[in-house]
Amino acid sequence: MEPESYFAAKILIVDDYPGNIDILCQALPESYELRTALGGREALDLLQRTSFLPDLILLDVMMPDIDGYEVCRILKQDARYREIPVIFVSAVADVQSKIHGLQLGGVDYVTKPYNFREIQARIDIHLKLRRLNQTVAESNRQLEALVEAKIQAISDTQIELIFALSNLVTLRDPGAGGHIERVRDVVSRLAHALAKDPAYSGLVDAWYIDQLIKACPLHDIGKISVPDEILSKSAPLDEKEEAILAEHTRVGAATLAEISARYPGNSFIDMGIDMTRSHHERWDGTGYPDGLKGDAIPLSAQILALADILDYRYAEALGGHACLSPISLDLPIPSAPAGSPDAIRFVRNWIVAEKNRAFAPPLVEAYLTVADDIEKLYTPAGASV
């Protein structure tokens, strides 16, 4: 009785003697799809030039062109055929020959002359194992896809939650609406521009940029500890108030560090710590809270620092107020009327002037390649830069 579950099994029979092929064909159920090859080279050619993918191969050992051992070795080196079970069939019955065939990747070794019931049973066993392995592999693929989808869903939810929490800070400052969204847009453009610099191509890749964009909304989360009267103050801050405001970098970084300690190995949170603590550092070492200088400042924080101050300067040029001005930066007032193209262009000139002082030269150069694109985010409708 034919195994119902293997109605469409595909078998490739390889033997240089047609009589042996006929015997095997008689031993197999009529429901099986059989292909034959009179030699190793013909078998390899059949697999290469057709779409026939067997579920099992019956492979003679002693053949004049390419012996069965060599055919098996070639098949096991090809990912398309590596998992197909190979049963060696041979008149050579010594133990060493059998061991050699199994070491090359064969699953069984049957000696001639054939016992029909024995070979039918062995083929049936290996077909069942083949189908079982395929089922397990497919189940694993589906499970991996499901796990990946769940992880992505969790990640997306976490990102949105963090973004919402970060926005709570801006909600306490009536003039800071949209700051986080705009900074994230500018960070994305700056990072993609910097990635084109050969000096940064090995670091600023797609993964890095993705982490950077996701982490940047965290940068002002420490402002949750700053009193409302300071956040909402329109007049310049006094020395004491500036010191209180400056602490938001330490508070934010410490908060994220606690999360990192509980969930170690999270690169997204680790980058958030760098950006939160160091986005008010200056390239020349006169920033805060640590007075870091040059490349001692994490690159993520350097990128964010430029995006952060850009948003402040552009909003100022439009006559608005984006966020409290970063401490330790000399911010001249644009001479052009607020909202005019000249006021927008003033910001670009100011960034260039801060090259090698507030900002790294390569970062300023990267900014200049996308400055037109960034300015479009801030240019009033109908105006041109």
Side-chain angles (χ1 to χ4, degrees):
M1 183 176 179
E2 297 178 9
E4 186 176 332
S5 58
Y6 301 109
F7 184 82
K10 300 177 181 180
I11 309 290
L12 174 60
I13 303 173
V14 186
D15 198 307
D16 62 318
Y17 181 59
N20 289 335
I21 291 179
D22 291 340
I23 293 172
L24 288 173
C25 287
Q26 293 173 23
L28 297 175
E30 293 182 0
S31 59
Y32 288 177
E33 181 182 348
L34 305 179
R35 296 289 182 91
T36 63
L38 292 170
R41 195 176 301 280
E42 183 178 327
L44 295 174
D45 181 63
L46 182 148
L47 293 174
Q48 291 289 338
R49 63 181 172 79
T50 71
S51 60
F52 181 71
L53 190 65
D55 296 302
L56 184 143
I57 299 174
L58 295 170
L59 182 59
D60 187 25
V61 173
M62 304 301 294
M63 294 182 290
D65 54 353
I66 303 177
D67 68 27
Y69 294 142
E70 179 63 14
V71 173
C72 183
R73 187 189 65 79
I74 293 173
L75 291 175
K76 296 305 176 183
Q77 292 179 341
D78 194 318
R80 292 171 296 175
Y81 314 120
R82 186 175 299 137
E83 301 302 322
I84 299 175
V86 174
I87 298 178
F88 287 106
V89 291
S90 177
V92 181
D94 64 278
V95 174
Q96 190 57 44
S97 296
K98 294 179 180 180
I99 292 175
H100 184 49
L102 296 175
Q103 289 176 334
L104 287 171
V107 297
D108 210 339
Y109 193 106
V110 180
T111 56
K112 304 174 185 178
Y114 307 117
N115 179 295
F116 277 19
R117 294 184 63 184
E118 177 189 5
I119 198 166
Q120 285 175 341
R122 294 197 181 199
I123 289 173
D124 186 49
I125 288 173
H126 290 297
L127 283 176
K128 287 179 179 178
L129 290 173
R130 167 72 166 162
R131 293 298 169 88
L132 180 61
N133 289 335
Q134 289 176 326
T135 300
V136 171
E138 179 59 27
S139 296
N140 286 338
R141 281 193 292 269
Q142 293 178 0
L143 181 59
E144 290 173 1
L146 180 61
V147 170
E148 184 176 345
K150 291 292 185 183
I151 291 174
Q152 185 60 50
I154 292 172
S155 176
D156 290 344
T157 300
Q158 290 173 332
I159 296 302
E160 290 304 316
L161 179 59
I162 289 170
F163 192 77
L165 291 173
S166 300
N167 262 323
L168 288 176
V169 175
T170 64
L171 291 175
R172 296 173 60 209
D173 180 359
H179 173 64
I180 290 176
E181 292 91 338
R182 294 192 301 270
V183 168
R184 187 167 60 175
D185 287 342
V186 176
V187 161
S188 175
R189 286 164 171 77
L190 289 175
H192 280 94
L194 196 63
K196 297 177 182 179
D197 185 335
Y200 293 89
S201 60
L203 173 59
V204 186
D205 55 15
W207 176 88
Y208 183 92
I209 293 173
D210 179 66
Q211 297 292 297
L212 187 71
I213 293 171
K214 289 177 178 178
C216 71
L218 296 168
H219 72 278
D220 274 341
I221 199 169
K223 283 185 178 178
I224 200 72
S225 66
V226 179
D228 287 339
E229 57 268 24
I230 294 178
L231 283 179
S232 59
K233 186 175 181 179
S234 58
L237 302 180
D238 60 33
E239 186 175 340
K240 182 179 179 180
E241 291 169 333
E242 286 187 349
I244 293 173
L245 177 61
E247 281 300 302
H248 81 276
T249 56
R250 300 180 191 273
V251 172
T255 301
L256 296 178
E258 290 181 9
I259 298 174
S260 180
R262 295 178 64 181
Y263 304 98
N266 191 316
S267 57
F268 160 69
I269 295 297
D270 291 341
M271 183 178 286
I273 293 171
D274 285 342
M275 299 172 79
T276 301
R277 185 177 183 90
S278 302
H279 69 282
H280 286 306
E281 300 287 359
R282 285 175 54 107
W283 184 253
D284 61 7
T286 60
Y288 69 90
D290 302 305
L292 300 180
K293 183 177 182 179
D295 284 325
I297 306 170
L299 180 59
S300 58
Q302 294 181 40
I303 297 171
L304 175 61
L306 180 52
D308 195 34
I309 190 60
L310 270 175
D311 186 65
Y312 174 80
R313 295 318 318 257
Y314 279 128
E316 180 187 55
L318 292 172
H321 170 63
C323 60
L324 286 172
S325 172
I327 303 169
S328 302
L329 279 177
D330 179 23
L331 301 177
I333 299 174
S335 57
S340 69
D342 287 341
I344 295 293
R345 187 57 62 103
F346 168 86
V347 178
R348 184 187 302 200
N349 295 336
W350 177 82
I351 292 294
V352 172
E354 287 293 326
K355 178 180 178 180
N356 219 21
R357 295 199 301 175
F359 312 115
L363 186 56
V364 174
E365 294 302 320
Y367 155 73
L368 290 175
T369 66
V370 291
D372 289 341
D373 188 31
I374 292 175
E375 286 169 0
K376 290 176 183 177
L377 298 173
Y378 296 90
T379 303
S384 59
V385 179

